[in-house]
Amino acid sequence: MKNVIITGASGGIGKELAVHFAKNNWNVIATMLCLEQGKELRNIPNIHCYLLDVTSTESITVAKQKILQDFKTIDVVINNAGIGYRSFVEFSEDEEINNIVDVNWLGVVKVCRAFTSVFRKQNKGHFINISSIAGLVNLPLGSFYHSTKHAVESFSECMAYELMNFNISVSTVQFGNTPSNFQKNVTRCNHTPVKCYNELMEKISTVVEGKTKKNVDLKQNIITKVFEIAENPPKKFKRNTIGFDANALNVLRNFLGYRLFGRIIRYSVFK
């Protein structure tokens, strides 16, 4: 049986990935901030839960030691842990900025750094870094979330070059708004004294909620695609864009360029 590490596996996409991999005869090393939150996974065959905070080098080191005591090899690491922050730059808060950078970007960096040596000694391994369409295009109120996802894309591509000689490959996965706990847990900027800011927040939130409700098949498509990548990892770095919304935005951005694309976004939001 192959072994996969999944970060942020206590809920949302991470949890469903864990269940899917386990049902398809993989050993799942499900990592999470709180073991109590992942209690539903404990009794599922092939799932093994570990405490791991992606923002803490110490926590990652301790978890790594425990995991390697239980498993001789690791085939795939899925960096799934992530959070959202929807805010205006003017009213953003240091704590929230630091938090999203620590989880969404530095969390991926630190987990990859920890397990690269494992893959190198094995002379095999694959990192799947869950990004977002936010890593390929830029949309209103995404200054912080989009920045972290762009960073994940750049980091992943750069790292892939370093690891080619060791039979270690890297993939990223981008998708749009998915029906899961993620949107419910997105931190939003509080009501501001600026009227047009508040109106923009309301409009963007309504658009996102509407898109999320429509993407009923997206979650299963994501799970199926991630599993497919894990089963047959590409030798070279590859981006995988999933879902109509994500693919449409990506094509429009690349085809139109940032000026025309920006004009469409401004018209859609501010008309």
Side-chain angles (χ1 to χ4, degrees):
M1 294 175 67
K2 292 182 178 180
N3 305 320
V4 58
I5 294 174
I6 304 175
T7 66
S10 63
I13 293 290
K15 179 181 177 181
E16 299 202 31
L17 281 170
V19 172
H20 185 79
F21 273 79
K23 287 181 177 179
N24 284 275
N25 299 317
W26 280 62
N27 279 318
V28 177
I29 301 158
T31 75
M32 56 201 71
L33 268 175
C34 175
L35 292 176
E36 184 63 24
Q37 291 178 354
K39 60 184 179 181
E40 295 178 14
L41 298 175
R42 292 178 192 168
N43 297 321
I44 299 177
N46 305 333
I47 296 183
H48 315 266
C49 296
Y50 294 82
L51 197 64
L52 188 152
D53 178 357
V54 299
T55 70
S56 167
T57 299
E58 182 181 0
S59 174
I60 294 169
T61 300
V62 171
K64 176 184 173 182
Q65 291 172 345
K66 291 179 179 178
I67 290 167
L68 294 180
Q69 286 173 1
D70 297 336
F71 297 90
K72 292 182 179 179
T73 60
I74 305 297
D75 296 280
V76 176
V77 172
I78 301 176
N79 279 299
N80 164 75
I83 58 174
Y85 180 37
R86 193 177 303 150
S87 179
F88 309 99
V89 174
E90 182 180 354
F91 292 99
S92 59
E93 301 174 27
D94 284 355
E95 183 178 356
E96 299 297 346
I97 296 171
N98 292 337
N99 199 25
I100 195 169
V101 171
D102 283 347
V103 175
N104 288 11
W105 180 48
L106 292 179
V108 174
V109 172
K110 291 177 180 179
V111 171
C112 287
R113 180 177 64 184
F115 286 93
T116 292
S117 60
V118 177
F119 283 170
R120 184 168 51 78
K121 290 171 184 175
Q122 296 173 173
N123 195 37
K124 69 170 185 175
H126 190 70
F127 289 109
I128 301 176
N129 295 333
I130 304 296
S131 175
S132 166
I133 187 57
L136 302 181
V137 303
N138 300 303
L139 301 170
L141 298 191
S143 299
F144 306 103
Y145 182 72
H146 285 241
S147 296
T148 61
K149 293 304 182 179
H150 276 276
V152 168
E153 290 291 338
S154 296
F155 168 77
S156 301
E157 186 173 358
C158 290
M159 182 176 66
Y161 292 119
E162 300 172 21
L163 304 179
M164 288 177 66
N165 290 332
F166 306 107
N167 196 33
I168 304 169
S169 51
V170 185
S171 295
T172 60
V173 175
Q174 308 87 23
F175 45 85
N177 300 302
T178 314
S180 71
N181 292 332
F182 182 84
Q183 288 297 335
K184 296 177 185 177
N185 296 326
V186 169
T187 301
R188 299 181 189 180
C189 177
N190 294 324
H191 192 80
T192 78
V194 182
K195 181 183 177 183
C196 66
Y197 276 173
N198 300 328
E199 291 173 347
L200 180 59
M201 175 65 77
E202 187 64 32
K203 186 159 190 177
I204 295 300
S205 297
T206 300
V207 170
V208 168
E209 289 168 9
K211 287 288 184 182
T212 301
K213 290 177 182 178
K214 289 181 180 179
N215 291 335
V216 291
D217 298 325
L218 183 56
K219 188 191 299 181
Q220 187 54 51
N221 291 339
I222 295 165
I223 293 166
T224 301
K225 183 61 180 180
V226 171
F227 182 74
E228 179 186 304
I229 296 167
E231 285 274 79
N232 299 285
K235 295 294 182 182
K236 298 178 181 178
F237 174 74
K238 185 176 181 181
R239 290 187 170 92
N240 300 270
T241 307
I242 306 170
F244 176 80
D245 289 349
N247 277 290
L249 284 170
N250 191 29
V251 169
L252 280 173
R253 173 65 178 80
N254 289 327
F255 179 74
L256 296 176
Y258 79 91
R259 289 186 178 180
L260 286 176
F261 181 79
R263 187 179 299 174
I264 291 173
I265 296 302
R266 288 192 297 272
Y267 175 79
S268 301
V269 173
F270 299 105
K271 65 180 178 179

